[in-house]
Amino acid sequence: MNSEYRTLKAIPVSREVGAEISGVDIAAGISDEQFSELKQAFSDYGVIFLRDQDITPDQHIEFARRWGEINVNRFFQPVETHPQIAEVRKEPHQKANIGAAWHTDHSYDQIPAMGSILYAREVPELGGDTLFSSMYAACDALSDGMKKMLLGMRAEHSSRHVFGEQAYVDKDVEDVGGRLGNTGAATQDAIHPVIIRHPLSGRSALYVNGDFTVKFEGWTKAESQPLLDFLYQHASQNEFTCRFQWQKGSMAIWDNRATHHYAMNDYQGELRLMHRITIQGEALGAAD
Ligand code: SIN
C-alpha cells in the first residue's frame, strides 16, 4: 500500500483496508492520469472513499462506465429514470435494511462483479455506517495447514436462497416494501475457488461469504457449515476491518474480490438512500 500519487491524496483509514481520497471532483471531470491513479488506489486499498461529490445519476453512470461494463443488479429496485442504478433504500417506517450481514456482491455469478460504486443521496443524522473487511488479511492470517487445504477447494455460491421465492418465507414482505423483487430471476449458481488469485493485485484472497456461499464442492452442507462459519468469523475480526461514516455526497468504491462489507442497521426512524452501480468483473482463478 505505498503507491505514490501525483493527482490525488490517499490517507489510509486502517492498517488493512480502505483509504480516504482527496483531490478528486467527479462532476468537474477526471483526467486519464487521475483515473488511473484512482484505479491504483482501489487496487492498493480494496476500498476507497470520496467526500463531497455533487453528481447527477447520469454523472454517476458516466463515471462507473470508466471502470468497466455496468452489471445491473437483478433484484434491487432500480432508480426509475436510470435502471443501471440500484437503490439501496430504507424508509423511516421500515425496520430491515439491505446488506446487514458480511458479504460480497454478486458472488452467485460465475463471472462475479469486480466492484461496486455506492453514492450517498440521503443519510441519517447518525448511524448507517458501512464496515469493510480485507480478504487479503483474512487469507494471510490463516494457518499454513488451513491454507493448504483450502487452496485445493472450490465452493458453491447461489442467489436462490437470498433473492428467490423461498427466501420471502422468512422475510416480512410488508417491510421489504418493494425494495427487493424479481424472485423468478434468482436462478444463478456458481462455483469459485475458496482462495482466489486476485486479478488486479495477484495476491491471494479468501472468497467465501455468508450471504451467498452454500457449501464446498464435493462436501455436504452439514460438513461445510462448521468450516464456513469459522471462515466467516475469522474474516470479520476487527483487525481486518475499517468503518466508513457517510455524509450526503460521499462515495465508496470497493473491490468485491478483495473485501467484504456490512451495512449497519442502527438508524431506525430515519431515511437512508444510496445509489449503487455494480461493475462487471471476470472469472476468478485459484491461487496456488
Ligand atoms: C450493500 O450491501 O451493497 C449496501 C451497503 C450499504 O448500504 O452500506
Side-chain angles (χ1 to χ4, degrees), residues 76 88 98-99 103 105 118 130 246 254 261 263 272 274 276:
F76 289 17
V88 181
I98 293 172
H103 68 284
D105 301 331
L118 189 69
T130 308
W246 295 90
W254 66 81
H261 56 281
R272 182 176 184 269
M274 320 292 276
R276 193 182 89 180

